[in-house]
Amino acid sequence: MATEPGADEVAIDVPTHFRIFKSGRIERLHRPPLLPAGLDEATGVASKDVVLDAGTGLSVRIYLPKKKIQEEPSKKKLPVLVYFHGGGFLNESAVSATYHNYLNPLAAAAGVIVVSVEYRLVPEHPLPAAYEDSWAALQWASSARDAWIAELGDVARIFLAGDSAGGNIVHNILMTRASGIEGAILFHPWFGGSKVVDGERESNVELTAKLWPYVCPGAVGGADDPRMNPLAPDAPPLEKLGCARMLVCAASEDQLYARDRDYYVALAASAWRGTAAWLESEGEDHIFFLERPLCDSAKQLMDRVVAFIAGA
């Protein structure tokens, strides 16, 4: 079968991350090593992988802060934090070094059981596959069917968290399906739109306009699809969010900063009955805390996340 002329030309090129061709083929350029589950000696956190659906490949990696449990044996059960990784819906993995090396310290510092979700990626599985997988994983975690969660987890205290595309997932699950969630943490969430907002770079709007139809084919309104633009005129009101508290984290040098700021401002001004908090990391760029988890700004972010989970 003949290939159409130009079908293998580059359509979208994001250096060091991915390259998408007109044929639909993708080259994933950001490929950190995949790490096995097990005991992390540095933090005393144990992890294991659980397959939830062999047909779709949906799985999770669970992190249990064993050292904290041993140090505080009389403490009540631990909150459960369900985490959705970033990567533009087309890169990264719940079992990559990026997330394994961040979630071990997070579980230890916050004293939570973390359930990190391995959802399906585009282009092999366009949206809403990632949303559906993430919702299924949240339902599974909430049901306490896993022995670690059943014995040591408090499923009355569920938190959701995610970075970039994972933050987008958190928002959409809370808007459309989840309720009764104690808290949500959005780390530099990926939101966009068809028009530049105050402080946003034109290049960000252009990239979103190219990428979103590829991620979510047939999306009504293009980049103003409410799943990408929660502040679009036709988007449902933010008062529908199914959590009691939310922490929105942004970085001042991130190209998503303006969108994240506007989201927080709209949320704080909405009829939502929850409590909204804002954390801005000055001089930092997108997901810096995953790339440099030991820098001062990352430590400050971790401290704020731990306090948020504790109720502060």
Side-chain angles (χ1 to χ4, degrees):
M1 183 174 180
T3 302
E4 292 183 17
D8 223 31
E9 293 179 5
V10 175
I12 306 173
D13 190 4
V14 180
T16 76
H17 285 80
F18 58 84
R19 185 178 294 120
I20 300 172
F21 295 82
K22 290 183 178 179
S23 64
R25 183 170 65 89
I26 182 173
E27 289 182 358
R28 292 181 171 95
L29 308 176
H30 179 69
R31 302 181 70 89
L34 306 182
L35 299 183
L39 179 64
D40 181 59
E41 298 289 349
T43 61
V45 172
S47 59
K48 66 179 179 180
D49 296 327
V50 180
V51 176
L52 307 189
D53 188 331
T56 64
L58 173 61
S59 65
V60 296
R61 175 163 290 182
I62 308 177
Y63 296 83
L64 181 69
K66 296 186 71 173
K67 183 177 180 181
K68 199 170 190 72
I69 293 169
Q70 293 165 357
E71 292 174 346
E72 304 176 32
S74 62
K75 189 174 181 180
K76 57 185 178 181
K77 288 188 173 185
L78 307 177
V80 177
L81 184 148
V82 182
Y83 194 95
F84 309 108
H85 70 77
F89 294 103
L90 47 78
N91 262 336
E92 271 293 355
S93 166
V95 303
S96 77
T98 307
Y99 293 95
H100 189 75
N101 291 336
Y102 186 74
L103 295 178
N104 272 309
L106 176 59
V112 294
I113 297 174
V114 178
V115 178
S116 184
V117 182
E118 181 79 331
Y119 55 82
R120 286 173 290 174
L121 301 178
V122 301
E124 297 86 353
H125 306 283
L127 289 182
Y131 294 143
E132 293 170 349
D133 288 350
S134 298
W135 170 238
L138 172 57
Q139 289 181 297
W140 176 85
S142 302
S143 71
R145 278 179 271 175
D146 175 76
W148 283 1
I149 299 175
E151 180 183 356
L152 299 166
D154 183 356
V155 292
R157 298 195 64 206
I158 297 285
F159 289 80
L160 303 184
D163 66 280
S164 198
N168 178 292
I169 291 173
V170 171
H171 166 79
N172 280 287
I173 284 181
L174 289 173
M175 286 295 292
T176 60
R177 304 191 184 193
S179 61
I181 302 299
E182 177 170 336
I185 306 166
L186 305 187
F187 294 103
H188 312 171
W190 183 27
F191 298 133
S194 63
K195 297 180 181 179
V196 176
V197 299
D198 183 34
E200 185 179 26
R201 305 169 195 166
E202 181 69 38
S203 59
N204 188 51
V205 173
E206 293 173 353
L207 178 59
T208 301
K210 291 180 180 179
L211 190 54
W212 183 245
Y214 179 84
V215 172
C216 191
V220 177
D224 284 325
D225 179 329
R227 290 170 291 187
M228 171 49 61
N229 185 358
L231 304 184
D234 295 332
L238 295 176
E239 64 192 69
K240 291 179 174 291
L241 284 167
C243 62
R245 298 189 286 125
M246 179 176 285
L247 174 62
V248 182
C249 305
S252 67
E253 302 307 306
D254 185 0
Q255 65 177 353
L256 298 178
Y257 172 82
R259 293 281 174 180
D260 296 345
R261 174 206 61 206
D262 287 0
Y263 176 87
Y264 168 74
V265 170
L267 177 60
S270 74
W272 178 57
R273 295 185 178 182
T275 303
W278 169 258
L279 178 66
E280 180 176 332
S281 298
E282 289 286 347
E284 299 293 354
D285 211 333
H286 192 59
I287 61 167
F288 72 92
F289 59 96
L290 295 175
E291 299 166 350
R292 296 181 291 111
L294 299 180
C295 73
D296 288 343
S297 294
K299 292 177 181 178
Q300 292 168 7
L301 176 58
M302 178 69 80
D303 289 344
R304 183 65 186 94
V305 169
V306 169
F308 176 81
I309 293 172

